[in-house]
Amino acid sequence: MTEPTIPALSPDAPPVLEMTHISKSFGAVTALVDVTLKLRKGEVLALVGDNGAGKSTLIKIMSGFHRADAGSMKVDGAAVGFASPREARAHGIETVYQDLAMIGDLSVYHNMFLGREYHRRVLGLNLLDNARMRTLAQSHLRTLGIAIPDVNGTVDMLSGGQRQCIAVARSIYASPSILILDEPLAALGVRESGYVLGLIQKLRQQREVSVVLIVHNYSQIFEICDRINFLHSGEIVLDVSTAETSEEDLIRIVKSGLGRRAVASAA
Ligand SMILES: Nc1ncnc2c1ncn2[C@@H]1O[C@H](COP(=O)(O)OP(=O)(O)OP(=O)(O)O)[C@@H](O)[C@H]1O
Ligand SMILES: [Mg+2]
C-alpha cells in the first residue's frame, strides 16, 4: 500500500472548537481541572492519559453528554453550551462511543441509517426505503474506501475493525465538522487497527473534518495525529505537535514526570 501524502496543517487553520477553563466533578471526585483545549480545522488531536485521567469526561462534555461545572466552549468562534448530545450534533459534532451503538443482527446498511432511516409511501403506508438506504450505504462506504463484502450482511458477521469503520462511516455521513472517537483502536489487532487507522488518515488527508481521538498506543498516535494533549489527574499537562516531537521524546517526557513545565516548553 502506498502511504498517503498528508498535507501539513496550515498554521492559520481556524479553531473549530475551543474549551476554556473547563472543570468537572462527580460528587467528591474531581474529573477535570481548568482544562483549556483548542482544536483546529482539519486537525487530528490525540487525547492521552492514564485510566481515570479524565479523557472520556472531556469528550463527553464536547459531545453534550455531560455539562461542565465551570468554563466555556466555542464552536466556530461562537459560544455554545450543550444541554444534550442532540444539541452538539446540531453544531456538527458527531461522536463514536466505545460500544459503537450497533445492532448486531441488523444489516450493515440498516445500521448505517439507524435513527435516521429513509422511508417511502406505499399505498398510504410509511415503509422503510431499503433500496435507497442500501445504495446510499454502498456508495458512501466506497467513497471512504471501506471494503465491506456485502452491506446486506449483518454487523455480527463483521470483524471488530470493520464494525469500527462502519460506526465511523455512519458518523461521517452526517457531515460533521468535528468527529470524536473514544478509543477506536481498543481491542483491535494489528490488521484491524490498520483498517481504522487508514480511515482516519484519509480524513486527515482531506483536512475537512477535525478529529479528537482517545488512543493509547504511541506509534499509532505518531502515525495519524497532528497533536497530542496529555491529561493527568484531570489536567492537560502536555500539549505538543507530533511533527516537532518524536515518540522517544514523548516517552522520555512522560517518564520524567509530567508537569506544567512540559506545556510551557512545547508552546
Ligand atoms: N459518571 C460518573 N460518576 C462518577 N464518577 C465518574 C463518572 N465518570 C467519570 N468519573 C470519574 O472521573 C474520573 C475521570 O474518569 P474518565 O472516565 O474521564 O477517565 P478516562 O481518562 O476516560 O479513563 P479510562 O482510560 O479508564 O477510560 C475518574 O476518577 C472516574 O472514576
Ligand atoms: Mg475513558
Side-chain angles (χ1 to χ4, degrees):
M1 200 178 82
T2 50
E3 287 293 317
T5 14
I6 304 298
L9 196 66
S10 157
D12 39 42
V16 286
L17 175 72
E18 293 168 89
M19 301 178 91
T20 312
H21 304 308
I22 295 283
S23 296
K24 176 78 181 168
S25 296
F26 298 99
V29 177
T30 304
L32 295 172
V33 189
D34 198 23
V35 167
T36 290
L37 171 150
K38 195 182 276 188
L39 175 71
R40 291 186 294 161
K41 182 170 165 61
E43 180 174 47
V44 180
L45 172 68
L47 268 188
V48 292
D50 291 338
N51 297 123
K55 307 178 296 294
S56 293
T57 304
L58 188 57
I59 66 157
K60 283 177 180 167
I61 292 172
M62 291 175 194
S63 66
F65 191 89
H66 287 320
R67 272 199 99 116
D69 298 335
S72 58
M73 215 163 39
K74 283 184 185 174
V75 171
D76 289 329
V80 291
F82 303 139
S84 67
R86 183 193 290 262
E87 285 185 19
R89 278 202 297 272
H91 282 82
I93 301 177
E94 285 286 327
T95 307
V96 179
Y97 294 101
Q98 217 172 334
D99 68 4
L100 303 183
M102 294 271 195
I103 300 182
D105 56 3
L106 276 187
S107 72
V108 168
Y109 76 86
H110 279 120
N111 270 284
M112 280 280 305
F113 290 95
L114 215 54
R116 49 158 182 253
E117 292 82 1
Y118 285 102
H119 292 89
R120 64 194 172 104
R121 300 288 294 176
V122 180
L123 300 171
L125 296 173
N126 204 22
L127 300 182
L128 283 179
D129 193 346
N130 287 323
R132 184 172 182 201
M133 290 191 283
R134 193 182 294 124
T135 309
L136 287 173
Q138 265 160 348
S139 66
H140 181 56
L141 292 175
R142 201 177 308 122
T143 308
L144 291 174
I146 299 173
I148 298 294
D150 180 11
V151 295
N152 296 299
T154 63
V155 157
D156 274 343
M157 305 299 286
L158 299 178
S159 72
Q162 287 172 323
R163 224 171 290 161
Q164 187 65 247
C165 284
I166 299 294
V168 175
R170 179 171 64 184
S171 295
I172 295 173
Y173 193 79
S175 303
S177 53
I178 299 168
L179 180 64
I180 301 172
L181 308 172
D182 194 351
E183 304 212 23
L185 305 164
L188 299 186
V190 174
R191 204 172 68 93
E192 302 228 296
S193 298
Y195 210 50
V196 182
L197 288 168
L199 185 52
I200 299 169
Q201 198 68 295
K202 194 159 183 147
L203 293 178
R204 187 174 174 220
Q205 210 175 353
Q206 292 161 355
R207 296 288 190 203
E208 291 296 327
V209 183
S210 309
V211 182
V212 179
L213 75 156
I214 297 179
V215 58
H216 290 283
N217 180 303
Y218 288 174
S219 327
Q220 290 169 336
I221 292 171
F222 279 89
E223 201 178 323
I224 54 165
C225 298
D226 298 296
R227 210 153 49 85
I228 304 165
N229 277 7
F230 209 109
L231 269 168
H232 181 69
S233 297
E235 291 184 68
I236 292 186
V237 291
L238 183 68
D239 177 3
V240 283
S241 128
T242 50
E244 291 160 9
T245 323
S246 68
E247 202 177 320
E248 294 70 34
D249 287 342
L250 184 63
I251 293 167
R252 203 173 312 125
I253 294 170
V254 172
K255 276 194 179 154
S256 68
L258 294 158
R260 289 223 168 263
R261 255 177 336 123
V263 179
S265 66

